[in-house]
Amino acid sequence: MRAVQFDQCGDPQSVLQVREIERPEPRAGQVLVKMLASPVNPSDVLYVQGQYTLVPKFPAGAGFEGTGVVEASGGGLLGRFMTGKRVAVLNKRGGNWADYCVVNVKQVIPLSSGLNVDQAATFFVNPATAFIMTRRILNVPQGEWLLQTAAGSTLGRMVIRLGRKFGFKTLNVVRRPDQVAELKQLGADAVIAFDPSRDKEADFLAQVQQLTNNAGVPCAIECVGGATGSAVVRCLGQRGQMLVYGTLSGEPLNFSPRDLMTPGGSISGFWLGHYMESLKLPSKLKLVRTITKLIQEGVLASDIGQRFTLDQIHSAIATAQQPGRGGKVLITL
């Protein structure tokens, strides 16, 4: 079988290799999945570069998300239940960019036949993260503001559509001015173009205060870090909450403790893998049904851009790293 692997962290174009390896056998509590498709997400690239939370164990596989069919089980009632089913695969150690992968049975979740392969492959990382953060953790009230950074991303667009469906207002921060009109047409309530290398933070804060009648925002989700994320901290209103779920800039947050003390704000981290592990199977299945319905309605559907085969992994990575690429890059198997 073919598998994308790397022996050291670095530039994906240099370190990723497509290798022929022996097909793994599932042990007790594991299942063997024949992969069908897997997207290229920012977390995948960061993992290969050595900038992700998890430290690879070499030789390491790549690809955290995807869909496939369970072909065999290492034993156990749950494993036998999953055999033959098409599932979403949340591979917490990477390895979905392969013809087959072996994962813990708790890392696969059966999906509705009503979802096509594209939406099944991109089922969790963006749709689940967007839904859980806005509807389960922050539970943004109707009529209230939610500020989000990287709003032009696939996940950012899902959040805008969630706001339209559930009645909360989205204040969307993007880096490129050309994205403003596009996101407003999608349904964004407000869009601010802010790049700390180009724009003054004071001007950005003044725009947020004007939009919120000097109240600040009650909720924020942030995935950039650095000067952008630090500015968002200073946008929080009374008892405002900010969820951090990414580190696109690779830079730390930098703010005064009083930026939280004065409004009584709070910052929490969000990692989808930990959240899903905290749920028992009935709760997972209920969440899957909810997300499936929202995908079918178009609210949490992923726009798919270019498709590549496993042997074209370097082209897939290069395309995924292009700004404004127009849809999620998918590896088909």
Side-chain angles (χ1 to χ4, degrees):
M1 60 164 267
R2 298 167 303 159
V4 174
Q5 293 186 334
F6 58 109
D7 298 320
Q8 63 182 22
C9 293
D11 177 10
Q13 301 292 347
S14 301
V15 302
L16 289 181
Q17 301 179 44
V18 180
R19 294 171 174 165
E20 287 287 340
I21 64 172
E22 186 176 347
R23 194 178 80 174
E25 294 296 328
R27 299 192 299 270
Q30 295 181 327
V31 289
L32 173 72
V33 182
K34 178 178 175 58
M35 295 302 297
L36 299 174
S38 178
V40 179
N41 291 317
S43 55
D44 299 315
V45 178
L46 290 171
Y47 182 60
V48 176
Q49 293 171 333
Q51 299 175 18
Y52 196 57
T53 306
L54 299 175
V55 178
K57 183 179 179 181
F58 303 117
F64 291 121
E65 185 182 23
T67 188
V69 177
V70 176
E71 285 205 349
S73 164
L77 181 63
L78 186 55
R80 289 193 293 271
F81 169 76
M82 294 291 183
T83 302
K85 290 181 170 56
R86 190 183 65 167
V87 296
V89 185
L90 271 176
N91 194 332
K92 64 186 295 184
R93 298 303 308 182
N96 283 358
W97 297 349
D99 291 318
Y100 290 87
C101 71
V102 164
V103 294
N104 187 295
V105 68
K106 294 182 179 180
Q107 292 175 236
V108 300
I109 300 176
L111 295 177
S112 166
S113 59
L115 293 178
N116 62 35
V117 170
D118 290 354
Q119 298 305 319
T122 55
F123 186 90
F124 262 111
V125 169
N126 286 323
T129 298
F131 180 79
I132 292 166
M133 287 196 301
T134 61
R135 307 308 304 150
R136 292 289 183 264
I137 299 178
L138 294 176
N139 193 20
V140 187
Q142 284 190 347
E144 292 287 2
W145 284 105
L146 169 75
L147 185 155
Q148 65 163 337
T149 56
S153 66
T154 298
L155 185 146
R157 293 164 188 265
M158 291 177 181
V159 169
I160 292 172
R161 294 194 292 265
L162 284 168
R164 302 304 292 180
K165 180 174 180 62
F166 292 103
F168 61 83
K169 297 184 292 186
T170 56
L171 199 168
N172 302 275
V173 182
V174 295
R175 190 176 58 181
R176 306 197 321 269
D178 60 292
Q179 294 178 297
V180 173
E182 181 185 1
L183 294 188
K184 284 187 176 179
Q185 186 174 9
L186 183 64
D189 294 283
V191 187
I192 299 176
F194 173 59
D195 184 339
S197 66
R198 177 192 66 220
D199 305 310
K200 295 180 179 179
E201 181 187 283
D203 293 338
F204 168 66
L205 297 178
Q207 290 182 74
V208 173
Q209 291 300 311
Q210 182 179 14
L211 285 165
T212 62
N213 294 320
N214 294 316
V217 294
C219 302
I221 55 176
E222 207 289 300
C223 64
V224 177
T228 298
S230 302
V232 173
V233 175
R234 289 181 271 275
C235 293
L236 294 176
Q238 290 296 311
R239 294 179 294 281
Q241 294 177 272
M242 174 170 144
L243 286 183
V244 177
Y245 70 99
T247 56
L248 291 178
S249 72
E251 299 173 355
L253 297 175
N254 182 16
F255 57 90
S256 166
R258 292 198 174 276
D259 292 329
L260 291 180
M261 292 165 56
T262 302
S266 62
I267 301 176
S268 301
F270 176 81
W271 195 11
L272 180 63
H274 286 334
Y275 184 90
M276 294 305 298
E277 286 180 352
S278 72
L279 300 179
K280 297 189 180 299
L281 183 58
S283 297
K284 287 181 181 179
L285 294 177
K286 182 178 179 181
L287 177 64
V288 166
R289 287 193 295 270
T290 300
I291 293 174
T292 297
K293 185 173 183 293
L294 290 170
I295 289 175
Q296 293 172 328
E297 292 175 0
V299 177
L300 293 179
S302 298
D303 295 326
I304 304 299
Q306 291 183 248
R307 295 170 174 81
F308 297 86
T309 65
L310 202 62
D311 296 318
Q312 297 172 312
I313 186 61
H314 292 142
S315 297
I317 295 289
T319 302
Q321 292 181 295
Q322 292 175 358
R325 63 185 176 275
K328 183 66 67 177
V329 171
L330 206 62
I331 298 171
T332 58
L333 295 129

